Amino acid sequence: MRVLIISDIHANSAALEAVLQDAGPTDETWCLGDLVGYGPEPNMVIKQVRRLPGLTCMLGNHDAAVAHRVDFEAFNGDARRSLTWTQTVLTADNADFLQSLPRQPEVRSDVTLAHGSPRDPTWEYILNSLTARLNFGQFSTPFCFVGHTHIQSLFQLDGYADHISMGMTRPGEVVVLTPRVIANPGSVGQPRDRDPRAAYAIFDTSMHTWEPRRADYDIALVQERIREAGLPPRHAERLAEGW
C-alpha cells in the first residue's frame, strides 16, 4: 500500500495542492496535524484534506488551539494573532472536524502516528537524538511518524548497540526502514530547514520504504494572500527562505 505522509500544512492551500499533484495516486493519507495556523486558507486546506483517500488525521497544537482544546497563551504573539483570525473565518463544519481529531497517538499498519511525539503528542519537538531516545520507549510498533518540527528527518535506533543515528533525509532518496525508526516528513506549508519547497513523504507499507520529497509551488501568491488577510508579515516573509 502506498501512503501519502503529510504534516504541518498550516493553511497553505497552494503548497498542499502542489504536494498532491507531485505525489500522484495513493491508497491512504496519514496527516500528522496542524492543518491551520500561520497561513491564509484554513477552510480550503481542511476541505482538501477531508476528501483525501483513506484519511487518518492527527490533531496538531495549532488545530487544538483553534478548537479550544489548548490555551492561546502557549503561543507567541504572531501565532496567537493568526489563530484568532482563523477562528473568525473557520466554518462551523470545519471547526467540528478539528474538534473530532485524535490527540493521542494512533497506530496504522506497523506505524505509530503522532503530531509532536508519542510521549507528548501536542507539544514535544523531536529535534535531536536525546529527545528521540526518550520517545523510543513510548511506542511499540517498528516505526513512528511525527511532525511538528517542520524538518525532514530520521532517527534510527540500533537495539544491539543502543545507539541512535540521526539523519537529515535527502529529497528523492528512497530509504528502506528497519525497526526501530522515528521519521518526520517535514512541513507542507511552512518548512523550516532552509528549503522553501513543500515537504512530504511516501511510505510503502509492504516494502517499508520511506521516500522524502519536495514540491515547488507559487510562494509569492501565498505571501500576497497572507498580507491581504492582514496576518503577520513574518509569516509571509519566512516562506521564501524556508525558516
Side-chain angles (χ1 to χ4, degrees):
M1 185 169 65
R2 190 171 186 264
V3 183
L4 173 65
I5 313 296
I6 53 176
S7 190
D8 299 281
I9 306 165
H10 285 297
N12 188 335
S13 175
L16 177 59
E17 187 60 38
V19 162
L20 298 179
Q21 291 182 8
D22 188 72
T26 54
D27 301 297
E28 291 191 4
T29 303
W30 300 347
C31 177
L32 304 176
D34 271 356
L35 283 70
V36 301
Y38 300 131
E41 295 178 318
N43 285 306
M44 179 61 73
V45 162
I46 295 174
K47 180 180 178 181
Q48 288 169 302
V49 168
R50 292 178 70 176
R51 63 187 183 211
L52 293 175
L55 176 66
T56 297
C57 189
M58 309 304 296
L59 181 79
N61 56 310
H62 288 254
D63 306 325
V66 170
H68 302 282
R69 294 170 68 175
V70 301
D71 197 316
F72 275 22
E73 293 306 310
F75 297 83
N76 66 45
D78 280 351
R80 288 198 301 270
R81 184 173 155 193
S82 176
L83 292 169
T84 300
W85 175 85
T86 300
Q87 284 185 331
T88 65
V89 302
L90 204 64
T91 67
D93 188 44
N94 285 335
D96 288 344
F97 176 75
L98 293 184
Q99 283 279 5
S100 74
L101 297 179
R103 183 181 228 163
Q104 296 305 311
E106 299 272 317
V107 174
R108 294 292 180 271
S109 185
D110 294 329
V111 184
T112 297
L113 307 177
H115 176 63
S117 74
R119 190 172 69 152
D120 182 351
T122 304
W123 292 113
E124 186 169 45
Y125 294 88
I126 301 181
L127 285 165
N128 53 51
S129 58
L130 174 60
T131 312
R133 182 179 298 280
L134 294 172
N135 275 279
F136 273 111
Q138 303 298 312
F139 63 96
S140 58
T141 54
F143 315 115
C144 177
F145 299 164
V146 300
H148 196 41
T149 69
H150 297 212
I151 297 172
Q152 288 185 330
S153 58
L154 280 176
F155 295 88
Q156 173 79 58
L157 173 65
D158 183 338
Y160 294 100
D162 194 30
H163 172 74
I164 295 175
S165 60
M166 174 183 174
M168 310 306 289
T169 55
R170 291 178 294 181
E173 178 183 19
V174 179
V175 180
V176 179
L177 301 184
T178 58
R180 304 181 71 218
V181 166
I182 297 174
N184 191 320
S187 170
V188 171
Q190 195 191 87
R192 293 180 183 167
D193 53 6
R194 296 293 176 178
D195 183 339
R197 296 175 296 169
Y200 73 102
I202 298 292
F203 177 63
D204 188 301
T205 60
S206 300
M207 304 298 292
H208 291 159
T209 54
W210 174 266
E211 183 183 354
R213 290 187 174 189
R214 305 303 280 240
D216 289 304
Y217 72 98
D218 191 342
I219 292 174
L221 175 63
V222 179
Q223 290 176 314
E224 180 181 350
R225 289 173 178 171
I226 288 173
R227 297 184 183 106
E228 288 175 350
L231 295 169
R234 182 170 178 265
H235 294 167
E237 294 162 3
R238 68 191 311 173
L239 290 179
E241 301 297 330
W243 59 272

